[in-house]
Amino acid sequence: MYKMLDAPLAVHIELTPECNQGCSHCYNFWRGGDSKLEINDTNMDLETIEKVVYELSTFRVFHAINTGGEPLLNFKNLLFLMRKLKECGISFSLNTNASLLSFEKAKELRDAELRSVLVSLFSSRKEIHNRLANAKNFDKTVNGITNAIKAGLDVSINMVVTTENFNYVMETASFVKDLGVNKFSVIRVVEPFGNKRKFNKNLLLGYSEALRVVSDLLRISFCLGMKVDSLIPYPACFLNDEAVELLGNRSCSAGKTSAVISASGIVRACPHIEGSYGNLLKESLGDIWEKMTDWRNGKYIPKECKDCSLFSSCGGGCRAASCNHLIDGKDFLMNKIEETLLKKKFVKKIPLLNFQKTSLCVKRNCRFRKDKVFGIVNLGGIRNVFFDHQTFDLLFKLYNEKKVFSPAVLKAENDVQMDKRDFLFFLSNLVSRGVLEKIS
C-alpha cells in the first residue's frame, strides 16, 4: 500500500528513559509498568551516539528529534549528539518539558546550533499543569520557555489535551503568546500500548470534547495569529474543510517515513507503541527498516478506511488512538459520512504563475535524497516532497546550477510534454510547498 523508502526520513532519538516528571498521561509505555521490551535505565552513552549518527548519516536521514524521557537529564551527551549530527548535515530539534532549562543551558544548546524546541505545557493554570505532570514544575517550565526565547531558540508549545484541561486550550495559547511564543500544537491523550500499568481512562477525550479542541485551534489561528498543529493525526472525516486546511497535513508516519531509536539502540516504529525491530548496535538501520513492512503493507489500516476517498488526507488517523487498543482498530473520532460527502476535495486554491514573466529558482535550503523508488526533497525538519526520478533529477540539476528560469523557458528547454495550464499548476504548487521560490 505504501511505497518503501530506503530508510526513514526522520527519527526520534530517546536520549534517556528517565524523566523528572511523572505525567499521568505519559506515552512512554515502559514507565510505571512491566514492558516486554528491554529498556535500559541508563542514558544513551557516547559509543551508542557515535553508532546511531553513523547509521543515520550512512542512510541519509534528514532530521533527528531529540527526546526521552527528559533529554536534558542527559545534557552533556545531548550536546555531543547535536555536534555529531551537525557534522553529518543532519538537522535536529529538541522535545523537552523545559523545567531544567536554565539560560546558560539554553545558550549552550543554541551555540550547538539547535534551532527549535518543542516544550510540553499542560495548562496556563499552575494547579492543572502540576497535577497532570505529577510534579510542581509549572514555574520552572515557564522560566525554561522564557530562557529558551532569550537564548534565540524558536519555541513551540505542545499541550497534551485530556478531560482535565481541554477547556483551557485557548487560554493556554494566549498565555504562551504573551511569553513570546507563536507556535502552538496539541496532542490528544492516548492510552499507552504494551504495559500493565494502570491508566486513567477518564483522561481520554470524548467526541464532543475533541470537537471543542479543534474549534479552539481554529480560533487560536485566526484570532491570535499563531501557527497551530496537531502532533498526531485526526481522521479527515472528523474535520471540516476549514480545519483540514490547518490540521490535515498530518498522517501516521510510523514505519513509513519515521522510526524511533531508544537509549539502548532499540529501533521501533512508533514512539507510543513497543515492538523491537532490531538494535542499531547489532544491525544496520537499512536492515532494520526493511523489517517494518507491517507498517507499510496496510496491515494496521482500519477496514473502514481502505476504500475511503479521504484516506490520502489522514492515513486513517492515529494508530495509537485506535478503539479497543488494537493497532488496526478505527480511530474513535471517525465519522461515518455519506458517499456524497466523500466526494468533496480538500484542495487549497493556489494562484497560478505567469507563464512568461515569473522568475523562479529552487530554494537554497533544500536537501536531496534519491531512493530506489523516488526522489525526496527535504525543506527542513520533517517537511518533505516526493518526486519521480525524472522530476527529481531536473530539480537537483537546477539547484546545483543555481539557475533562474521562467515557466516558459523551463518547459521549452526540457521538452516538458504537460499541458501549459497543468504545468503552471504544478510549478505553482511547488512554490506553495516551498520547493521553488519567486525571484523579484
Side-chain angles (χ1 to χ4, degrees):
M1 177 164 288
Y2 293 94
K3 292 181 179 179
M4 179 172 164
L5 294 166
D6 294 354
L9 302 176
V11 295
H12 299 254
I13 302 177
E14 296 168 342
L15 277 106
T16 176
E18 299 173 355
C19 190
N20 62 330
Q21 296 186 164
C23 301
S24 52
H25 53 263
C26 181
Y27 66 75
N28 288 154
F29 51 82
W30 63 80
R31 183 157 291 119
D34 298 322
S35 171
K36 298 174 184 176
L37 186 62
E38 178 189 356
I39 297 291
N40 291 346
D41 290 331
T42 57
N43 293 331
M44 182 177 281
D45 57 32
L46 300 183
E47 182 181 359
T48 303
I49 289 173
E50 293 267 18
K51 175 61 174 172
V52 167
V53 176
Y54 171 79
E55 290 294 324
L56 300 186
S57 177
T58 299
F59 288 92
R60 301 167 297 154
V61 174
F62 288 125
H63 188 73
I65 301 159
N66 299 315
T67 182
E70 173 48 58
L72 295 182
L73 289 170
N74 194 6
F75 187 72
K76 289 184 178 179
N77 288 3
L78 171 62
L79 290 174
F80 179 79
L81 171 59
M82 289 178 174
R83 286 194 293 269
K84 288 295 179 181
L85 291 169
K86 178 64 179 178
E87 288 173 9
C88 295
I90 300 168
S91 61
F92 48 87
S93 57
L94 176 66
N95 292 359
T96 175
N97 62 47
S99 63
L100 301 173
L101 191 58
S102 64
F103 176 74
E104 291 72 25
K105 284 185 177 179
K107 187 70 168 59
E108 283 188 79
L109 292 170
R110 186 64 187 85
D111 290 343
E113 300 203 37
L114 176 67
R115 304 286 183 192
S116 59
V117 181
L118 181 70
V119 178
S120 297
L121 181 71
F122 309 135
S123 177
S124 54
R125 302 198 177 195
K126 181 187 296 190
E127 67 279 8
I128 295 176
H129 175 89
N130 288 345
R131 184 168 67 248
L132 288 171
N134 280 312
K136 295 179 180 180
N137 277 345
F138 177 81
D139 291 334
K140 295 177 182 178
T141 293
V142 172
N143 191 50
I145 293 168
T146 302
N147 289 334
I149 293 171
K150 286 180 179 178
L153 294 168
D154 182 15
V155 178
S156 303
I157 296 300
N158 180 47
M159 182 178 179
V160 180
V161 184
T162 73
T163 51
E164 292 196 17
N165 65 351
F166 79 98
N167 280 319
Y168 303 101
V169 171
M170 185 74 183
E171 178 184 302
T172 303
S174 181
F175 173 77
V176 298
K177 173 81 171 179
D178 289 341
L179 294 178
V181 175
N182 200 43
K183 296 178 182 176
F184 187 82
S185 62
V186 299
I187 181 169
R188 51 193 168 112
V189 66
V190 298
E191 184 177 355
F193 271 71
N195 71 8
K196 298 177 183 178
R197 78 175 171 93
K198 291 183 179 180
F199 176 79
N200 182 5
K201 293 189 177 184
N202 291 328
L203 292 174
L204 298 172
L205 298 179
Y207 192 89
S208 61
E209 293 159 337
L211 277 177
R212 164 69 184 271
V213 171
V214 171
S215 174
D216 280 349
L217 284 176
L218 291 172
R219 291 171 60 212
I220 291 165
S221 173
F222 296 122
C223 298
L224 299 182
M226 300 179 77
K227 183 177 180 181
V228 300
D229 199 359
S230 170
L231 298 190
I232 61 173
Y234 286 95
C237 55
F238 173 74
L239 304 172
N240 61 24
D241 289 9
E242 195 175 39
V244 163
E245 189 162 326
L246 283 175
L247 307 175
N249 60 345
R250 286 276 179 183
S251 63
C252 176
S253 64
K256 306 173 195 73
T257 63
S258 69
V260 187
I261 303 169
S262 79
S264 55
I266 293 170
V267 181
R268 313 192 307 276
C270 173
H272 297 263
I273 301 173
E274 70 173 322
S276 172
Y277 289 85
N279 193 308
L280 278 186
L281 301 182
K282 302 174 182 178
E283 303 173 76
S284 75
L285 180 60
D287 289 342
I288 295 172
W289 183 250
E290 286 187 9
K291 298 178 188 178
M292 293 186 184
T293 54
D294 52 334
W295 288 89
R296 296 186 285 266
N297 62 15
K299 179 179 178 179
Y300 301 136
I301 297 171
K303 61 181 184 298
E304 296 90 345
C305 298
K306 290 182 178 178
D307 296 324
C308 177
S309 63
L310 303 182
F311 175 76
S312 61
S313 299
C314 68
C318 177
R319 298 299 82 233
S322 58
C323 294
N324 302 318
H325 229 210
L326 300 171
I327 301 180
D328 62 348
K330 68 178 185 178
D331 192 312
F332 85 95
L333 292 178
M334 280 175 54
N335 188 11
K336 190 174 178 61
I337 49 181
E338 300 298 327
E339 181 62 29
T340 53
L341 290 178
L342 289 175
K343 294 178 181 177
K344 67 180 179 179
K345 295 181 180 180
F346 299 125
V347 179
K348 187 176 180 179
K349 291 183 179 180
I350 301 171
L352 290 182
L353 305 171
N354 185 290
F355 188 63
Q356 298 285 350
K357 297 180 180 180
T358 306
S359 295
L360 302 169
C361 72
V362 180
K363 272 196 173 178
R364 298 314 301 169
N365 64 342
C366 289
R367 293 180 288 179
F368 297 81
R369 189 177 105 183
K370 191 172 184 179
D371 282 13
K372 296 184 186 73
V373 179
F374 39 57
I376 307 103
V377 177
N378 176 269
L379 308 174
I382 60 173
R383 296 169 57 220
N384 300 287
V385 185
F386 299 87
F387 297 97
D388 61 72
H389 283 163
Q390 185 177 7
T391 305
F392 174 86
D393 289 342
L394 175 58
L395 289 170
F396 190 49
K397 177 174 177 287
L398 294 168
Y399 177 85
N400 283 333
E401 293 177 353
K402 299 181 180 179
K403 187 155 186 176
V404 177
F405 53 87
S406 68
V409 168
L410 185 65
K411 191 174 190 301
E413 288 185 350
N414 295 278
D415 194 27
V416 177
Q417 298 301 306
M418 291 175 69
D419 173 81
K420 175 181 172 181
R421 184 171 178 81
D422 290 342
F423 184 59
L424 281 175
F425 181 81
F426 172 72
L427 294 182
S428 300
N429 186 49
L430 293 188
V431 172
S432 175
R433 300 185 73 174
V435 178
L436 300 179
E437 64 179 338
K438 296 180 184 179
I439 305 297
S440 58

